[in-house]
Amino acid sequence: MTAPNPRPEPEARLWCFERAGMARRKKIYEGKAKILYEGPEPGTIVQYFKDDATAFNAQKKATIEGKGVLNNRLSEFFMTGLNTIGVPTHFIRRLNMREQLVRACEIVPLEIIVRNYAAGSLATRLGIEEGTQLPRPIVEYCYKDDKLGDPLVTEEHIAAFGWASQHDMDDIVALALRVNDFLTGLMYGVGIRLVDFKIEIGRVYDGDFQRLIVADEISPDSMRLWDIETGRKLDKDVFRRDLGDLTDAYTEVARRLGVMPKQATHIAKPKLIN
Ligand code: 5GP
């Protein structure tokens, strides 16, 4: 007979530590896939990646083990790459498996969508076959409002309702297209087609001077990624359209990008200690 283990397994201890730390922190906001906590220094925020997946404006919900860990790592990877090429982002550093420290910013209430191939709502709205290459990258804007289902809006709405100035919009489009070039090249290098993606933009203030930065997250939750050879979907459409195991798809993206070893996402659940 083996003696009972007086101490929790390392993974369980890490989990307990994370939970204890979370309990002490002030929660600022809880969204569908992330929780934001007050950061350790003024102007910082801790972004916690949940395993929750939602689709169709939260009408479809599930908990997918390992998704938060993968998205934390992948978002770190993309944001760090963007910072390296001079695209400013909110990312400061990763704290642990599920959390990263980011710069606090004022989120522009828009989803910025860039499309290289027709898919999803564009394919439906305009009756274009999914997978059709677009003549050039198309940038669209949706007003961030869950109750309204994030409706598509134009620059006219954005200017008229004061969500962003024309000058901001010029900067936002330039940022979005740089992100598109960066991600397209990165993905192409590992045999993946970047079909489309969504980013969010934040404002930060240095004295009176305002800057726009890429915020929120960049992960397969907010992109469409298709294997170039087989067309296999490696993004949240796997969940939206019931195409298989979402963690497997995201793990494949992470593996190809060299972001994390295959097994690292499957962290054991804490065990009851007698
Ligand atoms: P569509 O408009 O075709 O549904 O989405 C276009 C792209 O933006 C897709 O890559 C999709 O994942 C992303 N996207 C659109 N809305 C949201 C959203 O509310 N949350 C996330 N995470 N991604 C979104």
Side-chain angles (χ1 to χ4, degrees):
M1 203 174 80
T2 52
N5 184 357
R7 282 146 54 94
E9 295 295 317
E11 295 86 358
R13 269 186 275 137
L14 176 66
W15 186 86
C16 294
F17 174 76
E18 285 183 358
R19 301 293 295 196
M22 281 164 59
R24 278 200 304 275
R25 283 197 303 246
K26 186 169 169 223
K27 191 194 275 190
I28 300 172
Y29 172 79
E30 177 156 4
K32 286 174 277 192
K34 293 187 295 297
I35 307 175
L36 303 183
Y37 296 95
E38 230 172 40
E41 292 126 39
T44 64
I45 284 182
V46 174
Q47 188 164 258
Y48 175 94
F49 288 77
K50 302 197 281 186
D51 277 345
D52 297 353
T54 63
F56 313 117
N57 206 14
Q59 287 171 47
K60 181 171 179 175
K61 289 184 196 170
T63 301
I64 294 166
E65 199 181 324
K67 183 176 87 84
V69 173
L70 281 155
N71 281 353
N72 187 28
R73 285 286 189 139
L74 283 163
S75 201
E76 171 193 19
F77 180 75
F78 297 130
M79 296 277 185
T80 305
L82 286 168
N83 284 338
T84 306
I85 62 159
V87 175
T89 80
H90 72 162
F91 183 81
I92 301 173
R93 70 188 142 86
R94 187 168 58 80
L95 297 171
N96 55 47
M97 299 284 275
R98 287 187 181 272
E99 295 179 327
Q100 49 184 247
L101 190 67
V102 300
R103 200 164 164 191
C105 58
E106 196 181 288
I107 294 285
V108 174
L110 298 171
E111 294 186 338
I112 318 297
I113 293 171
V114 183
R115 301 178 186 273
N116 299 306
Y117 295 82
S121 70
L122 177 88
T124 309
R125 198 183 328 128
L126 300 182
I128 305 174
E129 192 184 342
E130 280 217 323
T132 308
Q133 186 165 15
L134 300 171
R136 63 188 177 92
I138 293 177
V139 184
E140 293 178 344
Y141 317 104
C142 292
Y143 179 55
K144 265 171 68 67
D145 186 320
D146 284 343
K147 285 197 286 304
L148 300 175
D150 300 335
L152 189 70
V153 292
T154 68
E155 289 202 13
E156 280 287 289
H157 299 111
I158 296 167
F161 297 121
W163 297 324
S165 67
Q166 189 53 56
H167 185 262
D168 287 344
M169 290 314 293
D170 294 344
D171 286 353
I172 287 173
V173 171
L175 276 176
L177 292 176
R178 287 189 73 192
V179 173
N180 187 43
D181 285 347
F182 173 75
L183 292 177
T184 299
L186 198 62
M187 292 301 180
Y188 185 76
V190 295
I192 296 174
R193 172 165 298 144
L194 178 67
V195 173
D196 57 31
F197 67 92
K198 181 266 301 184
I199 52 169
E200 296 190 18
I201 299 291
R203 298 175 201 282
V204 287
Y205 297 92
D206 295 325
D208 287 344
F209 186 68
Q210 176 212 269
R211 277 194 318 133
L212 295 172
I213 62 176
V214 177
D216 190 53
E217 71 177 279
I218 301 181
S219 75
D221 266 11
S222 47
M223 301 185 215
R224 282 198 177 90
L225 302 171
W226 296 353
D227 181 272
I228 290 176
E229 292 282 312
T230 65
R232 178 187 167 197
K233 291 182 173 43
L234 298 167
D235 56 66
K236 205 165 121 185
D237 275 350
V238 171
F239 169 69
R240 292 188 190 103
R241 303 181 187 187
D242 294 320
L243 298 175
D245 187 310
L246 193 71
T247 311
D248 280 355
Y250 288 19
T251 303
E252 177 63 13
V253 176
R255 189 193 63 76
R256 289 197 200 184
L257 292 168
V259 171
M260 64 195 298
K262 195 174 186 309
Q263 294 310 318
T265 58
H266 295 283
I267 299 295
K269 282 262 158 56
K271 294 189 188 93
L272 194 64
I273 304 149
N274 297 315

